[in-house]
Amino acid sequence: MFLRISFLLFISCYCVAQQVVDTSFVDNKYREDQFFIIATYSALSNGPSSLKQNGFSTSVQFGFIRDFPINKKRNIAIGLGLGMGLSSLNQNLLIYNQPSNNITAFKFLERNDGSYSRNKLNYTTLDLPVEFRWRTSTAKAYNFWRIYPGIKFSYITSSRSTYVGDFGKIILRDIENFNAFQYGLTLSAGYSGVNLFMYYGFQSLFESGTSTIDNILLDQIISLQFGLSFYIL
């Protein structure tokens, strides 16, 4: 009896061990990284020398990506997503309506323009990210390496400029000189829950020909973002 029970226990333990170490298992429904949250520092690049950023400029993005595996192991995939972004840029470009003709005007704030406590540009976007996804994951592995290069298409749905200083309080909404359609390259890479994120914009934030009241062109300014991305299955 003792030998029979011992044999049964041995067979049971062996079967459990085989299930734990089995790496040949393939889940044909396995997908990865469906929801995302991205927090970044936002920088304005390629602008005129008069453009200065002050304070900490941020961007937060969140949304859903549908994972489409393209190989049998399902660790290589195409991701197609939909999300929203909120960007807040602290800088010295004053945007206001001229009282004489109600036309939007742009002016870089200099030292002789007095002091100000806030000059911020906020805008929200509707985002369409597309990613090529390579990862070392399986349906049973929760910590793995990932490299997700891609491209993001965005549409600016709303914008607001806020100035508080010696000129008073100036708020301007839905700035017409924005390039509504934006696009750029993205890269998310890391291990487990810690992933670095980068965005390099190809489209200028402002329309062609946009300039300040002293004829400094603004139509080369692009957005750069550096930060962290978090994925949730």
Side-chain angles (χ1 to χ4, degrees):
M1 178 65 70
F2 176 79
L3 291 176
R4 184 177 299 177
I5 294 175
S6 299
F7 177 77
L8 291 175
L9 289 174
F10 173 79
I11 292 298
S12 300
C13 292
Y14 177 80
C15 291
V16 171
Q18 284 294 98
Q19 292 177 359
V20 171
V21 299
D22 181 14
T23 58
S24 63
F25 174 77
V26 175
D27 184 350
N28 292 326
K29 296 183 179 181
Y30 164 62
R31 301 175 188 269
E32 190 58 69
D33 297 345
Q34 304 282 31
F35 296 92
F36 66 89
I37 300 174
I38 301 171
T40 65
Y41 168 76
S42 293
L44 297 174
S45 181
N46 208 36
S49 58
S50 301
L51 177 62
K52 308 292 183 184
Q53 287 189 251
N54 45 68
F56 193 75
S57 299
T58 60
S59 177
V60 177
Q61 303 156 50
F62 55 91
F64 174 83
I65 289 187
R66 184 63 168 173
D67 193 75
F68 295 95
I70 58 177
N71 67 331
K72 185 177 180 179
K73 293 177 63 176
R74 302 178 74 84
N75 65 334
I76 298 177
I78 301 296
L80 303 177
L82 178 65
M84 289 190 63
L86 304 100
S87 295
S88 180
L89 304 171
N90 293 287
Q91 33 67 49
N92 68 330
L93 180 63
L94 175 63
I95 307 176
Y96 63 101
N97 278 337
Q98 292 180 324
S100 58
N101 49 24
N102 204 36
I103 293 177
T104 302
F106 301 82
K107 172 183 171 59
F108 286 115
L109 295 169
E110 306 292 347
R111 291 182 178 179
N112 57 2
D113 290 320
S115 62
Y116 59 93
S117 59
R118 181 186 304 176
N119 191 65
K120 182 178 294 187
L121 180 60
N122 297 309
Y123 61 91
T124 60
T125 57
L126 178 66
D127 300 327
L128 299 173
V130 180
E131 296 178 341
F132 176 79
R133 301 175 141 201
W134 174 88
R135 57 205 177 219
T136 61
S137 67
T138 69
K140 296 183 177 181
Y142 301 103
N143 295 318
F144 52 86
W145 291 98
R146 62 167 64 81
I147 300 177
Y148 294 170
I151 185 169
K152 183 178 71 172
F153 302 92
S154 300
Y155 180 80
I156 296 177
T157 57
S158 65
S159 59
R160 183 181 68 184
S161 174
T162 304
Y163 166 91
V164 178
D166 289 353
F167 298 151
K169 186 174 184 178
I170 303 172
I171 298 177
L172 187 64
R173 292 183 171 85
D174 297 326
I175 302 162
E176 297 179 354
N177 300 73
F178 262 133
N179 265 324
F181 290 98
Q182 298 286 315
Y183 61 94
L185 292 179
T186 63
L187 176 63
S188 183
Y191 180 78
S192 186
V194 180
N195 303 276
L196 299 178
F197 177 85
M198 182 189 73
Y199 170 81
Y200 184 94
F202 284 159
Q203 176 73 289
S204 171
L205 283 176
F206 295 98
E207 293 178 343
S208 177
T210 301
S211 64
T212 63
I213 57 175
D214 48 356
N215 298 319
I216 300 177
L217 287 173
L218 305 174
D219 56 8
Q220 298 297 317
I221 300 174
I222 61 173
S223 175
L224 301 179
Q225 297 172 358
F226 307 93
L228 298 175
S229 58
F230 305 90
Y231 293 98
I232 305 170
L233 184 62

